[in-house]
Amino acid sequence: MLGGTFDPVHTGHLVAAVNVRHALDLDQVLLVVANHPWQKTGRRITPAADRLAVVEAAVAGTAGVEASAVEIDRGGESYTAETLEELAQPGRDLFLIVGADVAADLHTWRRPDVVARLATLVVVSRGGSPDVDPGPPWRVKHVRIPALEISSSDLRARAGDGRPLDHLVPLAAIACIRERGLYAGAT
Ligand code: ATP
Ligand code: MG
């Protein structure tokens, strides 16, 4: 799973998903859309159903990458430990994909011991940045991906000023953003 707020999803997320799936030969990567991202306080978050619809549009046609509503269906605040408990099945190996920024912050999570027990952590490192390794009890793999200087925060700022999101966000996802009137001003 690759969890996120995806407000909005962007090409950096997709490049991470596709490359981790390839590097580790995974069956499937789920982009798990947070219902209520409890660590992102102090700003308005786009409704979860809209963020999910944009992720679904973004992944359509990408083999082995899917949007997941598991956290939205569960409701409330989104904790990865609970999501992994829900995804766990006998014979299924779980991997938790995170960027280096998130890997440095795992100790702030709810029940990190459960997360470490249920999933192998996959840290995607970009460009020449050093590998972040949280150490035991985490089981860690590193996958290097092309550094794409794209963030949802910057995309929201761009949309606010009327600058284009095209190709930073897949075109089908932009069409969905427009249909739903999200990120006012998104071209
Ligand atoms: P925000 O700017 O609002 O924090 P974001 O672009 O970081 O948004 P998130 O939804 O917070 O997106 O991130 C979900 C996951 O994707 C995190 O593990 C994050 O490290 C990773 N990620 C974010 N941007 C990139 C990128 N450009 N390349 C690879 N991974 C990324
Ligand atoms: Mg982020």
Side-chain angles (χ1 to χ4, degrees):
M1 68 170 278
L2 167 58
T5 309
F6 302 117
D7 194 12
V9 68
H10 54 68
T11 304
H13 298 134
L14 294 165
V15 165
V18 165
N19 284 282
V20 170
R21 177 170 180 260
H22 175 82
L24 303 183
D25 196 21
L26 307 181
D27 294 325
Q28 199 175 50
V29 176
L30 298 178
L31 267 50
V32 177
V33 179
N35 183 56
H36 178 74
W38 55 280
Q39 287 195 316
K40 292 196 175 174
T41 51
R43 71 166 178 90
R44 193 186 146 273
I45 309 279
T46 303
D50 287 323
R51 288 182 283 115
L52 176 67
V54 176
V55 173
E56 283 171 346
V59 300
T62 300
V65 182
E66 277 182 35
S68 168
V70 64
E71 292 185 350
I72 298 173
D73 294 344
R74 193 166 69 234
E77 296 191 325
S78 300
Y79 298 112
T80 301
E82 291 176 13
T83 303
L84 291 170
E85 282 170 338
E86 232 176 299
L87 294 174
Q89 274 185 18
R92 179 183 276 179
D93 289 331
L94 295 174
F95 296 81
L96 174 65
I97 305 167
V98 296
D101 55 317
V102 173
D105 254 23
L106 292 168
H107 58 280
T108 68
W109 284 20
R110 189 71 68 92
R111 297 199 290 152
D113 48 317
V114 172
V115 177
R117 182 166 47 78
L118 290 178
T120 300
L121 189 72
V122 182
V123 182
V124 294
S125 10
R126 314 172 202 171
S129 60
D131 288 343
V132 177
D133 194 331
W138 298 92
R139 291 166 283 153
V140 183
K141 289 191 181 291
H142 290 97
V143 175
R144 302 205 74 83
I145 62 170
L148 295 172
E149 223 24 70
I150 309 174
S151 71
S152 302
S153 313
D154 181 57
L155 292 168
R156 292 190 302 274
R158 296 178 69 86
D161 312 337
R163 283 173 290 160
L165 306 190
D166 303 61
H167 301 288
L168 299 171
V169 174
L171 294 175
I174 301 237
C176 179
I177 286 173
R178 234 180 257 136
E179 268 162 35
R180 289 173 175 254
L182 306 174
Y183 311 107
T187 54

